[in-house]
Amino acid sequence: MTSAESICYTLVNVPSVTDSEPSNETQLKSDIEHGDLRTKTEALKRVILMTLNGEKLHGLLMTIIKYLLPSDDHTIKKLLLIFWEIWPKTDQDGKLRPEMILVCDAYRKDLQHPNEFIRGSTLRFLCKLRQAELLEPLMPAIRACLDHRHSYVRRNAVLAIYTIYRKFENLIPDAPELIHEFLEGEKDASCKRNAFMMLIHADQERALDYLSTCIDQVNSFNDILQLVIVELVYKVCHANPNERARFIRCIYNLLQSTSPAVRYEAAGTLVTLSNAPTAVKAAAQCYIELIVKEADNNVKLIVLDRLIDLRDHPTQEKVLQGLVMDILRALSSPDLEVREKTLNLALDLMSSRNVEDLVKFFEKEISKSSSAQGHDDTDKYRQLLVRSMHQCTIKFPDTSAVVIPVLMEFLSDSNELAATDVLIFVREAIQRYAEHKPLILNKLLEIFSSVKNLEIMRGVVWILGEYCEDVEGILRFMDQVRKCVGELPIVENELKLAAGEEPEEKQDDKPVKKANTKQKVTEMGTYATQSALSVAVKPKSRDELRPALLKFFMDGNFTLSSSLATALTKLALKFRKVCNDPRKQNSFTAQCMLIMSSVLHLGRSGLPSTPITDDDDARISLCLKVLSDCLPLMNEIFSEKCRQSLSGLLDIRSSEESQKQKSVEKNRSALNTVQADDPIKFLQLLEKSESGTIEDQFELSLSAAVGMSSQKKEAKDPLSSKLNKVTQLTGFSDPVYAEAYVHINQYDIVLDVLVVNQTTDTLQNCTLELATLGDLKLVEKPSPLTLAPHDFANIKASVKVTSTENGIIFGNIVYDVSGAASDRNCVVLNDIHIDVMDYITPGHCSDTDFRKMWADLEWENKVSVNTNITELNDFLQHIISVTNMRCVSPEKVLGGDCGFLSANLFAKSIFGECALANVSIEKPADKGPNFPVQGTIRIRAKCQGMALSLGDKMNMSQKRTKK
């Protein structure tokens, strides 16, 4: 008997606090015979709990039949149904107990009871019976329940007939015909659904006949019946493709259903039945409406995945390209993950026909997001929009003229996450698109004094210093620098301000304001004088009055000073080439050297909050030395080499992007390309399973909902995958042998434990007792079993996972030997280790995001390298394979023959947690070629358990096992 056909018992909660005195059979018998209604109810509950725990109370059977079975109390009747479900109905020889004849008569009376609840609950109980001898006398009463006035009874009567027909067809051979007649005259939606479901599995032809009679009325049916109709059409059309034209109109009609679940299933079925553009468009529009109208973010993500699956087919991708603007309606959702997935899908569908509309839409979204300040997700969403517009310019450079002015507005914002991405985009645009260079430089010079972020200011200074090449541009940039640095020399000016003195030019130019007064008449008839200067204005502080660059320097941010010194050096060297007047050349160079020396003097003076660092000091001194000596080699380095380095970096990134795009297109084409030697499939020679999609669409939907889509590979080769997950819990010489198959399904772990009695004794109350270590929680306690000699049984236990870290499940098996007077026996189980790798998947992030997360994450674990691998790249690939992480460092950075290697790894857990790792390894040149790799691995994560678990995994798996 398979697990799907095994008996499903009703689970009853066992109270944690038991009675002070354990109940015995005599006491229970007395309570049932002589107690009042409440006492009888409590006694029956105790009997049920004791039976579930493995107690044998055979002496109470006739007492319960005699005193409780005739009761009309609904609570007792409901408890009796649970009792008869768990009570063994056969003896040791497998024959039906004679007492069950009396119980069968009670069932028949309950099926004729005037109360609809008693009838319906009894019918539901009969679905769980496995004894044909008990069911046979009840068949007339079950048939009669189909004509009951209440829908609850009729609905459960259909279920009872279906289960009895499936298990014991000889008891009711005319069940399909009976249910078909019942379905034609039924009005209740739930009853029709159950009856139609039975016909689908019992007699599909009758189900099709009924559907043909009411196919035009499908839209008026209830959603539960519509879902069953979709399933029937799917199965019929895949089993017999000739029926597609007959029922595909029905699926089109169901796309307009009021139920979101029906529309979702109908759209998925329509795509599998037909690849016509009209069908794909109708299904895609249905998916888009579901994304926009459904409030649950999980539903949005699942439906977005279905749209992404449609994009993988070239013919369907062309249809989706025309619906890009409709797909972007999903950006109305406030959830960042939904927005990110929507933007990625839109960028994948971007073409020359819709790129202009995409750019205009992104421009409007950026302006909307700019007005909604003060929320972290808003800033991150704006960052996603900036990156999307960047991708538009990479694929279609003609859009850069529209994109550049929009994005450069973000550079002056102080707390803007997108500013860094904008700066990267501007740097790339000014290098690649020479026609837009004047526009970019003018815009940067306009916003130069308003930039408030240190990193953005450094980038702007570098770009202006590198790309201002004509006399006008160089002089404009120098004017901006002089304004933002302030009065020179800086130290003397700051000392004067600290002493309370004001600069002379400010005293001379200070205008004398005359108070503007007006005479007004009050209510008393007197004159009132009002002055425009009567309202006191709070003067600005000295820090607020300082220019932009000087403010950075006074705050101790001297990393900007080295960038400024490099930019001024480049400007001075370029000015010498473009200007032929030696006096102007010397004057400009002297101004640059004055600014650099003033900044250097300020850093050493002690006035800023933090003094200048040695590196920045050395950098400024070097720039002063370069301008004073003017050596040709230094001129070449500052004028040409920097731009060549940037050009090389951009070329590497563009080649990586093109390689990724080619690999994606190659994978897509491989799925749809027909090779010359491929066999020809003739429709008449195909099996039923080959005539359509092999995968069951409904199973795929369920798998996507519960996160099991990644387990398709296991289905292809179940032996190789499942046997690797079997853990032996006891030894072969133990009286009880046990082994467990660990099935991990996203947030749940299911342990399927096989227990084998290796003795010649009967083991009673055989119980699997488990405990957990780590963030694992045992959901339910396994029920006790009774094992015959050399018998075996399967016990299932569920464990809930709450975080990403290693966990341990341990426990023992306890049992009693039949007829023995000794204490309970115990077999200790081996520990089951839950690997953190089961919850980690490779992730991808940019270098900027990696650095930001590296600085933000709290926990770090440092692992020393101790391996027998002698090659740097081999060790890196080994670490990637055992930790399930992805290397985010570019391949060209890792290439070449060098004695050291540094790489960044990134992964995400199913809980959304990020794990970062930096591998820094070297191979000493003086140790010989066979000397193993040395170095360290630093791991950072948000929680301590994840960092420690990854470190333990790397420690255990560093050495490569010899084959």
Side-chain angles (χ1 to χ4, degrees), residues 61 374 445 540 572 874 936:
L61 182 58
L445 289 170
K540 293 184 178 180
D874 291 348
T936 57

Side-chain angles (χ1 to χ4, degrees), residues 603-792:
R604 296 172 178 176
S605 64
L607 293 177
S609 58
T610 304
I612 190 170
T613 61
D614 295 338
D615 293 338
D616 296 324
D617 190 323
R619 184 68 173 181
I620 298 176
S621 301
L622 174 64
C623 292
L624 290 171
K625 181 70 173 174
V626 170
L627 291 181
S628 61
D629 295 344
C630 291
L631 298 176
L633 177 61
M634 301 307 295
N635 293 347
E636 181 184 359
I637 292 174
F638 276 85
S639 302
E640 300 177 5
K641 296 297 183 181
C642 294
R643 193 172 301 188
Q644 291 176 4
S645 300
L646 174 61
S647 178
L649 175 64
L650 296 179
D651 291 341
I652 290 173
R653 290 184 177 178
S654 61
S655 63
E656 289 177 356
E657 291 291 334
S658 61
Q659 287 178 2
K660 289 181 182 178
Q661 189 68 23
K662 288 180 181 179
S663 63
V664 171
E665 293 177 357
K666 184 177 180 181
N667 293 334
R668 290 183 187 175
S669 61
L671 297 174
N672 302 277
T673 303
V674 179
Q675 300 296 332
D677 56 347
D678 285 348
I680 300 175
K681 293 184 178 181
F682 295 95
L683 184 63
Q684 292 80 2
L685 303 179
L686 288 180
E687 295 182 1
K688 291 184 177 180
S689 60
E690 297 178 356
S691 59
T693 304
I694 297 177
E695 297 173 327
D696 192 337
Q697 193 67 28
F698 293 93
E699 290 296 329
L700 289 179
S701 301
L702 179 62
S703 299
V706 301
M708 295 174 59
S709 57
S710 62
Q711 298 176 359
K712 294 179 183 178
K713 295 180 181 179
E714 293 186 8
K716 297 179 182 179
D717 191 6
L719 293 178
S720 63
S721 58
K722 290 188 176 182
L723 290 179
N724 291 333
K725 296 183 179 181
V726 174
T727 304
Q728 185 176 342
L729 301 180
T730 62
F732 293 110
S733 60
D734 288 324
V736 176
Y737 172 77
E739 63 182 23
Y741 168 65
V742 183
H743 178 74
I744 297 175
N745 179 18
Q746 205 167 11
Y747 305 110
D748 297 321
I749 299 174
V750 178
L751 300 179
D752 190 354
V753 183
L754 172 66
V755 181
V756 181
N757 180 8
Q758 300 194 113
T759 66
T760 56
D761 301 321
T762 300
L763 306 184
Q764 296 179 344
N765 297 334
C766 185
T767 307
L768 176 65
E769 297 180 349
L770 297 175
T772 59
L773 184 64
D775 284 347
L776 304 175
K777 182 180 179 182
L778 191 65
V779 177
E780 57 180 302
K781 180 182 178 182
S783 302
L785 298 173
T786 300
L787 292 178
H790 302 290
D791 193 9
F792 64 90

Side-chain angles (χ1 to χ4, degrees), residues 505-614:
E505 63 272 14
K506 287 188 177 181
Q507 292 178 356
D508 296 339
D509 298 339
K510 188 176 181 180
V512 179
K513 293 184 179 180
K514 183 178 180 181
N516 182 20
T517 60
K518 294 182 180 179
Q519 283 188 339
K520 290 190 175 183
V521 180
T522 63
E523 295 179 356
M524 303 298 294
T526 59
Y527 289 99
T529 303
Q530 182 181 13
S531 173
L533 301 178
S534 59
V535 180
V537 179
K538 184 179 179 180
K540 293 184 178 180
S541 63
R542 191 189 309 167
D543 292 338
E544 295 176 348
L545 294 174
R546 286 195 179 105
L549 291 176
L550 182 57
K551 187 176 180 181
F552 284 124
F553 296 149
M554 293 302 294
D555 292 338
N557 298 317
F558 281 98
T559 52
L560 178 60
S561 64
S562 59
S563 299
L564 179 62
T566 304
L568 292 175
T569 304
K570 292 178 181 179
L571 290 177
L573 296 175
K574 292 175 185 176
F575 193 80
R576 290 179 180 180
K577 294 181 180 180
V578 297
C579 181
N580 297 323
D581 190 351
R583 295 184 60 186
K584 291 183 179 179
Q585 293 178 3
N586 295 334
S587 175
F588 189 85
T589 304
Q591 288 186 38
C592 295
M593 296 178 72
L594 176 61
I595 294 174
M596 286 188 279
S597 60
S598 298
V599 173
L600 182 60
H601 184 37
L602 176 65
R604 296 172 178 176
S605 64
L607 293 177
S609 58
T610 304
I612 190 170
T613 61
D614 295 338

Side-chain angles (χ1 to χ4, degrees), residues 435-504:
E435 64 274 13
H436 300 306
K437 181 179 174 181
L439 173 65
I440 296 174
L441 292 177
N442 289 332
K443 194 69 177 178
L444 288 177
L445 289 170
E446 288 177 6
I447 66 170
F448 183 80
S449 59
S450 60
V451 176
K452 302 174 184 177
N453 187 278
L454 175 64
E455 298 298 327
I456 303 304
M457 178 61 85
R458 288 183 61 191
V460 172
V461 166
W462 188 90
I463 293 174
L464 289 173
E466 182 66 35
Y467 292 95
C468 288
E469 296 175 343
D470 58 338
V471 176
E472 182 183 358
I474 293 173
L475 293 178
R476 284 186 61 189
F477 180 41
M478 177 56 74
D479 291 340
Q480 292 293 331
V481 172
R482 288 295 302 269
K483 291 178 183 179
C484 294
V485 168
E487 294 297 324
L488 298 176
I490 301 175
V491 175
E492 294 182 6
N493 187 56
E494 287 296 319
L495 292 176
K496 288 181 180 180
L497 291 175
E501 300 180 11
E502 293 187 3
E504 295 180 359

Side-chain angles (χ1 to χ4, degrees), residues 851-900:
R851 293 191 188 97
K852 187 176 185 303
M853 286 188 289
W854 186 269
D856 294 341
L857 294 178
E858 303 171 1
W859 293 97
E860 179 176 321
N861 187 11
K862 189 174 181 180
V863 179
S864 298
V865 174
N866 182 17
T867 181
N868 55 1
I869 302 176
T870 58
E871 295 296 331
L872 298 176
N873 280 309
D874 291 348
F875 179 78
L876 177 62
Q877 297 302 324
H878 177 68
I879 290 296
I880 292 173
S881 62
V882 299
T883 58
N884 207 19
M885 304 182 81
R886 176 175 292 164
C887 180
V888 296
S889 299
E891 292 183 5
K892 294 194 175 182
V893 176
L894 305 176
D897 188 9
C898 185
F900 62 90

Side-chain angles (χ1 to χ4, degrees), residues 371-395:
S371 60
Q373 297 286 347
H375 198 277
D376 292 340
D377 285 348
T378 303
D379 296 337
K380 293 177 181 177
Y381 174 52
R382 198 178 301 120
Q383 186 179 19
L384 291 175
L385 290 173
V386 169
R387 293 180 180 179
S388 300
M389 296 188 77
H390 189 185
Q391 292 295 322
C392 292
T393 58
I394 291 176
K395 292 184 179 180

